[in-house]
Amino acid sequence: MTSETVLVPINVGSETDRAALFAQLAERAGRGATIVFMTVVPEIYLATDTDPKGTIEAMQEQAGVRLADVAEAAPFKVDRQVVRYGPVAPAILDVAAEIGATLILINARQKGRAVAYALGSVASRVANHAACSVMVLRH
Amino acid sequence: MTNPGNVAAAAQSDDRSTSNWLKFIIPSTLGAALFLMPVPGGDTWTIPFGVMVDWLNGNFGALLKWALVVVTMASAVLTLWYSYGPGKPSTPMMVQYFRTTAVWTGLRCLGAVFTVLYTTGTGPEWIISGATGGTVVGALMTNLLALFALASFGLPLLSDYGFMEFVGALLSKSFHFLFRLPGRSAIDGLASWLGAAALGVMLTVQQYDKGVYTTREAAVVATNFSIVSIPFCYVIAKLVGLSDVFFAYYGCVLIIGFVCALILPRIPPLSRLPDDYKAGTTNHIDATVREGETLVQAGTRLGLARARIAPNFPEFIKNGFDNLVFMWFSLVPATVAIAMIALVLVEYTPVFHWLSAPFVPILNWAGLAEAEAAAPSLVVGFADMYLPALIGKSIESQETRFLVAILSVSQLIYMSEVGAILLRANLGLNVGHLAMIFVIRTIIATPIAIFLAHYVVF
C-alpha cells in the first residue's frame, strides 16, 4: 500500500489520446494511490453577460459532466473529481496544495509551438512552481 | 441565475401553492413590464429599462464617470497585487475576481490607464479624441455601468422566476415546426434573449450533454438563437443614436434572426454536422410538453417548477450584487481596453480599411451612404459585438448607422464571447465553421437591414 495522492489535470475540451496517462495511473492506483482528477474552466471574457456568475457556474457544471465522462472511461477508480474556474496553472497548484498531492501527473502542452513559446505552457508552469513532484507525459 | 437545467428535476413535484404562484407571477410580471412593455419616452416609445438607464445617465453622469475611474483603477491595482504581487487571495471570491492571467491583467491595467487619461484630459490626442476615448469611456462605458447596475437586478426577474419557461413552452411547437428543433430549444433561445447569450449557449450545451439535442441541433440552437439580450440591444441603439426607433430596430433584429434561423440550418456547415446524440446518452426525449398537455399547461408547470427553485428575496439581492461587482471589476476594465485598442486601430491605422475594402463596392452598389465608413463594421463584429456600433457611431447617415447597429447584434458569432464558448463546447464547430456562419449571417442580414431601413423605418 502507498499513501500517494496523484492529482491529474485533465483538459476536457480536447480529445487527446489518454492511453499513456491512464496506463501510468492504473499502475499507481493498483498500488493503492488516491487518484484525483481535476479540470479548470479557463477564464472567459463575458462582455455582454449580465449574469457572468451564472454562466461560469454553468460552464463549471458542463466541465464536471465532461470530467465525469473521462473518469468513467478510466480503467481504474477515480477517488475524487474537482472543477475550478480561472487561470489554469495557479488553479492546479491550489488544488494540489488543498488535497496534499504527492504527485501531479500532467500531459505535455497541446498548443502549437509558437503559441506555447509566447505564452508558456501549463505543464511547465506547474512543474516550476509545484510543491510536490510533477511528471509531464509526452504524447 | 439558477440553472434552468435543474428545472427538470424540480418539475417532478408539482408545487401549486399560493406562495409559489405568487413567486412565479409577481417577479415575472415585473420583469416583463421592465423590459418588454412600451412606454412613452420623449417623442417616441421606449421600454421602462431604457427610461431608467437614461435617468441614471442624465442625473448621475458625473458620478458614473468618476465611478468608472475608481472601478478600473481598483481593478488594475488589486489584480496586479493578487496575480503578480505578494497578495494571497483569501476567499474564492477574491480568487475569481482578481487572480488572472498576464493577458487579462495587462488589459485591466490598460483599461485603467485609458480611463484615467481620458477622464482627466491629460492623455495624448489618440486617447482623448471623441472618436476613441470619447466614444468608449465617455459614451459606451458610462451607459454600460448603468446597464449593469440595472440589468443585474432586473434581468433575473425574467430569467429566474418562470417567465422564460412559460413563454418557451408556448413557443415550443412553433420552434419544432419552423426550425426542425426539439421544443426545448425555445427555452434555450429565450435564455439568450432574456438573459445572456453566453448563458444561452451553455444551457444548450448542457442539453446536448443530457442527450436532448443531437450535435447538429445543439449547434443550430447555439448559432441561431444566442441573441444578444434586450438591454444590450438598447445600449447599442443608444450608442449609435437610434434609441428613438428602438422598437423598429429591435423588430428588425428579430426579423433578421428569424430569416437566418430558417436558412442556416438547411445549408452547410450546419446541415453537414452529424445528427448523432452524445455518446453514452440514452434518453433522447424532449419533455418540454408532456403527452396530453396543452402549451399553456406545460408552460405553467415549467414556470412554477422554476419559481420553486428560484432565489428568495435576500438571495436575489445577493446574487444581483455579486454579479454587479464581478462585472464592474472583472469585465468593465477589459472592455475599455479592447474597445479602445480597436478604435485606435480604426482611427489611426489603415488595418480595418484594408480588411473591409472588398465590401465597399458592394455597399456602394446597394446604395448605402458612407459605405467606406460602414464597411469595417461588416468584419469587426467577428471579434467583438460592440465594435461595429463603436465604429459606426460617428457615421452621419441614419440609415447607415441603422445597418451597423443591426449587424452588431445580428452577426451573433463574436469570438470574444459566444465563439470562444462554442469552440470549447466540442459541438463539432471549428473556427472555420464559425467564420462561415458569421459571413452567411452578414450576407443575409445586410440586404434585409438596408431594405427595412430604406422602406420601413425611416
Side-chain angles (χ1 to χ4, degrees):
Chain A
M1 287 295 283
T2 170
S3 60
E4 193 177 37
T5 299
V6 185
L7 177 64
V8 190
I10 303 276
N11 179 0
V12 293
S14 83
E15 300 294 332
T16 318
D17 179 6
R18 299 189 175 99
L21 183 75
F22 283 178
Q24 278 281 343
L25 288 166
E27 189 194 327
R28 289 167 193 278
R31 294 204 304 263
T34 302
I35 308 293
V36 180
F37 274 14
M38 77 167 291
T39 192
V40 185
V41 176
E43 292 155 290
I44 191 156
Y45 176 56
L46 298 165
T48 64
D49 201 336
T50 46
D51 185 14
K53 293 211 142 189
T55 305
I56 290 168
E57 198 182 301
M59 290 166 82
Q60 285 183 284
E61 274 178 35
Q62 191 236 347
V65 170
R66 300 276 165 98
L67 186 65
D69 289 344
V70 177
E72 207 173 293
F76 48 84
K77 181 176 165 254
V78 177
D79 298 283
R80 196 175 153 193
Q81 296 169 42
V82 180
V83 181
R84 288 289 160 88
Y85 172 84
V88 182
I92 293 171
L93 297 171
D94 278 355
V95 174
E98 281 166 28
I99 64 169
T102 51
L103 175 71
I104 301 173
L105 196 50
I106 188 169
N107 270 323
R109 66 189 171 206
Q110 292 152 8
K111 290 173 188 158
R113 282 188 179 188
V115 176
Y117 184 80
L119 301 175
S121 80
V122 170
S124 67
R125 265 179 262 170
V126 170
N128 280 336
H129 298 286
C132 61
S133 299
V134 178
M135 181 185 279
V136 181
L137 288 181
R138 292 239 166 260
H139 300 294
Chain B
M1 181 176 181
T2 46
N3 189 340
N6 300 332
V7 174
Q12 300 306 316
S13 108
D14 204 4
D15 185 351
R16 288 175 183 262
S17 63
T18 307
S19 63
N20 201 42
W21 270 103
L22 293 175
K23 201 175 169 191
F24 167 41
I25 290 171
I26 293 172
S28 299
T29 310
L30 273 176
L34 188 60
F35 292 101
L36 304 174
M37 189 176 73
V39 290
D43 300 333
T44 179
W45 291 86
T46 182
I47 50 177
F49 173 81
V51 174
M52 290 163 79
V53 169
D54 291 347
W55 181 81
L56 264 181
N57 271 315
N59 293 284
F60 300 96
L63 185 68
L64 285 172
K65 196 172 81 170
W66 288 102
L68 185 63
V69 173
V70 172
V71 165
T72 52
M73 285 287 291
S75 171
V77 170
L78 291 170
T79 303
L80 277 173
W81 179 257
Y82 285 119
S83 296
Y84 295 96
K88 296 272 176 240
S90 53
T91 64
M93 194 188 88
M94 298 291 273
V95 172
Q96 201 173 60
Y97 288 18
F98 298 119
R99 198 172 63 181
T100 184
T101 57
V103 173
W104 291 114
T105 305
L107 285 172
R108 288 183 190 182
C109 292
L110 260 183
V113 170
F114 287 144
T115 304
V116 170
L117 291 180
Y118 171 78
T119 308
T120 56
T122 51
E125 172 65 16
W126 59 270
I127 289 179
I128 62 169
S129 78
T132 53
T135 300
V136 175
V137 183
L140 174 69
M141 296 319 297
T142 46
N143 271 304
L144 279 186
L145 282 192
L147 176 149
F148 285 149
L150 294 170
S152 53
F153 292 99
L155 276 178
L157 297 172
L158 277 183
S159 59
D160 281 11
Y161 291 88
F163 180 82
M164 191 170 81
E165 281 74 11
F166 182 74
V167 179
L170 295 186
L171 295 174
S172 60
K173 287 219 166 130
S174 311
F175 265 60
H176 183 64
F177 175 71
L178 290 169
F179 310 119
R180 298 185 299 163
L181 291 169
R184 164 77 210 188
S185 60
I187 296 176
D188 293 335
L190 281 169
S192 294
W193 185 49
L194 304 176
L199 190 54
V201 174
M202 282 317 303
L203 298 181
T204 303
V205 175
Q206 284 181 344
Q207 296 303 316
Y208 167 72
D209 281 337
K210 287 177 186 166
V212 175
Y213 295 141
T214 64
T215 309
R216 186 193 65 81
E217 288 168 345
V220 166
V221 175
T223 55
N224 284 281
F225 300 110
S226 303
I227 307 168
V228 175
S229 65
I230 296 173
F232 274 90
C233 286
Y234 183 81
V235 166
I236 294 296
K238 192 169 161 53
L239 190 66
V240 297
L242 293 170
S243 53
D244 54 336
V245 289
F246 177 69
F247 280 101
Y249 163 69
Y250 203 69
C252 293
V253 169
L254 292 180
I255 290 170
I256 288 166
F258 179 76
V259 174
C260 286
L262 284 177
I263 297 172
L264 274 162
R266 292 168 167 85
I267 59 174
L270 292 178
S271 66
R272 293 204 178 149
L273 290 174
D275 239 335
D276 301 333
Y277 292 98
K278 187 186 166 195
T281 57
T282 50
N283 182 11
H284 305 140
I285 296 166
D286 173 25
T288 306
V289 181
R290 288 173 181 166
E291 192 87 19
E293 245 183 355
T294 65
L295 295 181
V296 174
Q297 284 169 336
T300 308
R301 171 176 52 81
L302 290 169
L304 286 169
R306 185 58 188 278
R308 193 167 73 82
I309 59 165
N312 58 28
F313 187 68
E315 285 167 349
F316 166 79
I317 297 294
K318 183 186 170 299
N319 292 347
F321 190 72
D322 276 355
N323 267 319
L324 180 62
V325 173
F326 186 79
M327 285 185 278
W328 277 19
F329 286 92
S330 299
L331 305 177
V332 162
T335 304
V336 173
I338 292 169
M340 277 292 286
I341 290 167
L343 279 190
V344 169
L345 287 175
V346 169
E347 292 295 323
Y348 295 92
T349 74
V351 174
F352 283 115
H353 285 279
W354 291 339
L355 286 174
S356 58
F359 300 102
V360 177
I362 299 170
L363 293 178
N364 271 325
W365 175 80
L368 197 76
E370 298 176 76
E372 202 166 326
S377 63
L378 265 65
V379 287
V380 296
F382 191 55
D384 192 63
M385 190 276 284
Y386 294 122
L387 299 182
L390 288 170
I391 290 172
K393 182 178 179 289
S394 49
I395 292 172
E396 283 186 18
S397 159
Q398 204 174 22
E399 286 181 19
T400 308
R401 273 187 283 126
F402 184 80
L403 168 70
V404 168
I406 293 270
L407 288 179
S408 195
V409 294
S410 297
Q411 290 171 322
L412 210 131
I413 308 293
Y414 42 105
M415 294 307 295
S416 64
E417 191 174 349
V418 169
I421 292 178
L422 280 171
L423 288 181
R424 285 184 190 181
N426 285 1
L427 291 177
L429 292 167
N430 57 37
V431 178
H433 291 142
L434 295 181
M436 206 191 291
I437 293 167
F438 174 86
V439 170
I440 296 168
R441 293 191 71 90
T442 308
I443 290 169
I444 295 170
T446 304
I448 299 175
I450 291 174
F451 174 82
L452 290 171
H454 230 66
Y455 296 104
V456 181
V457 181
F458 300 112

